[in-house]
Amino acid sequence: MDRFPQKERLILAYKLISPFIHRTPVLTCSSIEAMIPAQLFFKCDNFQKGGSYKIRGATNAVLSLEEEHKRAGVATHSSGNFAQALSIAADTAGIIPYIIMPGNAPPVKIQAVRSYGGRVILSESTLKSREQTLHKTIAKHGSTFVHPSNDMDVIIGQATMAMELIDEVEQLDYIVCPIGGGGIGAGTCLACLHFSPGTKVIGAEPMNADDAYWSVKKGSIQPSVNPDTIADGLRTQLGNINFPIIKELIQEIIRVEEDQIIAAMRLVWERMKIIIEPSSAVSLAAVLFNKDQFENKRIGLIITGGNVSLDHLPFD
Amino acid sequence: MDRFPQKERLILAYKLISPFIHRTPVLTCSSIEAMIPAQLFFKCDNFQKGGSYKIRGATNAVLSLEEEHKRAGVATHSSGNFAQALSIAADTAGIIPYIIMPGNAPPVKIQAVRSYGGRVILSESTLKSREQTLHKTIAKHGSTFVHPSNDMDVIIGQATMAMELIDEVEQLDYIVCPIGGGGIGAGTCLACLHFSPGTKVIGAEPMNADDAYWSVKKGSIQPSVNPDTIADGLRTQLGNINFPIIKELIQEIIRVEEDQIIAAMRLVWERMKIIIEPSSAVSLAAVLFNKDQFENKRIGLIITGGNVSLDHLPFD
């Protein structure tokens, strides 16, 4: 256990970031519970600042910077939730956030990042161009790079989501968590390790982007090759900092099909009247379509976010 | 004031129904507040049982029946939220709910009413056929007719929504409430009269279904002629029991355009990550598009429900 961050570091992170984040609600829904049947506890970071859990890790990374590094700002490349999250977190702390975004990102996303104080620097859409632009930005301003998921401060920040869930709901048999880049997955594992060792962490992943499933199976990080899933937050692959945590602590990774993700998302929208993004629905899909395993258990579901484009919905 | 139901009757109704309904949350959203600017308190009955506030009035009506009438059941005609609400309320109390629905109602709605225990009786889609079928049903079973909005027990049940809001949020300058058939409108007026007389009640109505606006202006109930609005819960007209309450106690009725309703609904979905139906969005639209009147005020918004067909959304 010594190779993992200690309990005290997680407690410290929670104290550090809690003035700047929402303590999000844990919701229940008896009609969905009856379908398993099981007790389901939805930890709803779709209601978090910026619309996703990403603000947790971003805030912890920003506030953990040493004073002499704060002046030069932080930088990342992201066109998704982390771009917004780092902008909000850095702007709140009076630190300049440089956000590298591909020029073909939706204008509404670029605008959103700017509205939160992010200094957007456009690159070509290739990974190579994005990384080159990032390196140039860091060289120019001396900024600190904050990776969206493969950074220990970010991982520990994301752990606070499961810490809040565990604090509110006792004796969970499982926490089911979507696995994308590995930040929230590793954070959830650390939270259970230290605060609820009897709770098993189960990863949930789209069948069409199952690099984490194969990484755990083969014992080494597998690339995410041509991921083709509506769960756009889960297309990325694991990193060398979060993978050892996931590999050792996760119980298993359950894969779900695209139509199962959409069905689970629709169910939550219709029955719970809350908006969750497809990446969040993957958690519920893993439970809904593997009922035998979860029958009569107490299950926490990590609902990662609610940022969905209403112009492009999968319902028909 | 003597001509209105007394305070004690509202308190009794709340005690009677509260074991059978949810106490719904009051939510806030700083980014929407900043647009006015004002303090906004969203009373969210989209999270109520059956997905709307209608269960409040239905439950009060059912539980207020005298014992000898309970055996013969209750009856109503509705293809909307009240059909579901009365089915749930009656079924919970062990009373048979007969629900007259037009044969061309969406099968999913008929199925939903049946799943809640409602005995569905199909009629032609004309008002005449629906009323005839209702009368036949009442004659056959001796059931008690419960009108969706023009029934004093129903109105007093709906009043509990604003009672909860007032109990949780002090010193509201306004409560803005959608006006359709007049049940929730009259109930909200009664709640403020007795529990927060300093709070002004403002009605919100689609310009394309503004019968209540004209009824209040002319001092007599005006029919709802060819209402053409996305806010399908607000197409009905006032009744002789709720109109005198609304006429005397409401501050004013603000009318909004269809595109304003859709913009307000979209804003709530995108920023608050909750699903509200168009009829609920009318409350926010009235405030958003009349900022001068509401600037820096404390405003309660009656969010009536969240029953939306995801197959037919107005966003594009």
Side-chain angles (χ1 to χ4, degrees), chain A residues 67-226:
Chain A
E67 281 307 321
E68 68 263 33
H69 290 145
K70 287 185 177 173
R71 234 163 302 140
V74 289
T76 198
H77 63 83
S78 163
S79 57
N81 287 336
F82 194 73
Q84 294 189 34
L86 190 65
S87 300
I88 298 171
D91 194 58
T92 303
I95 293 170
I96 299 173
Y98 298 100
I99 312 291
I100 319 302
M101 299 184 81
N104 62 355
V108 61
K109 287 204 172 184
I110 295 174
Q111 189 46 47
V113 170
R114 286 198 172 121
S115 77
Y116 290 129
R119 306 235 179 137
V120 175
I121 298 159
L122 297 176
S123 71
E124 304 289 313
S125 64
T126 60
L127 182 62
K128 192 179 166 192
S129 166
R130 294 169 70 171
E131 287 182 342
Q132 278 178 344
T133 310
L134 175 70
H135 290 144
K136 268 190 223 168
T137 303
I138 290 173
K140 185 173 170 188
H141 301 288
S143 313
T144 303
F145 172 48
V146 182
H147 191 283
S149 56
N150 197 43
D151 174 303
M152 193 57 88
D153 287 319
V154 169
I155 292 167
I156 290 171
Q158 317 304 27
T160 61
M161 188 174 170
M163 286 167 68
E164 289 177 0
L165 173 59
I166 291 165
D167 180 59
E168 191 161 337
V169 185
E170 290 180 349
Q171 296 190 306
L172 289 170
D173 296 301
Y174 295 104
I175 293 181
V176 185
C177 175
I179 306 288
I184 187 71
T188 302
C189 286
L190 291 177
C192 286
L193 173 73
H194 290 308
F195 299 99
S196 187
T199 302
K200 298 185 180 92
V201 178
I202 297 210
E205 202 176 30
M207 191 66 81
N208 290 356
D210 64 348
D211 54 286
Y213 173 84
W214 287 108
S215 299
V216 168
K217 205 171 175 85
K218 294 188 176 178
S220 64
I221 297 171
Q222 303 297 308
S224 180
V225 181
N226 298 325

Side-chain angles (χ1 to χ4, degrees), chain B residues 97-216:
Chain B
Y98 298 101
I99 313 289
I100 319 302
M101 299 183 80
N104 63 356
V108 62
K109 287 202 172 186
I110 296 174
Q111 188 46 46
V113 170
R114 287 197 172 122
S115 77
Y116 289 128
R119 306 234 179 139
V120 175
I121 297 158
L122 296 177
S123 72
E124 304 289 315
S125 63
T126 62
L127 182 60
K128 191 178 167 193
S129 166
R130 294 169 71 171
E131 288 181 344
Q132 280 179 343
T133 311
L134 176 69
H135 292 145
K136 269 191 220 166
T137 304
I138 290 173
K140 184 173 171 189
H141 301 288
S143 313
T144 303
F145 172 47
V146 183
H147 191 282
S149 55
N150 197 41
D151 176 300
M152 193 57 88
D153 287 319
V154 170
I155 291 167
I156 290 171
Q158 317 305 28
T160 61
M161 189 173 168
M163 287 168 68
E164 289 177 359
L165 173 58
I166 290 164
D167 180 59
E168 191 162 334
V169 184
E170 291 181 348
Q171 296 192 303
L172 288 170
D173 296 301
Y174 296 104
I175 293 181
V176 185
C177 174
I179 307 288
I184 187 71
T188 301
C189 286
L190 291 177
C192 286
L193 173 73
H194 290 308
F195 298 99
S196 187
T199 302
K200 299 183 179 93
V201 178
I202 298 213
E205 202 177 29
M207 191 67 79
N208 290 357
D210 63 349
D211 54 287
Y213 172 84
W214 287 109
S215 300
V216 168

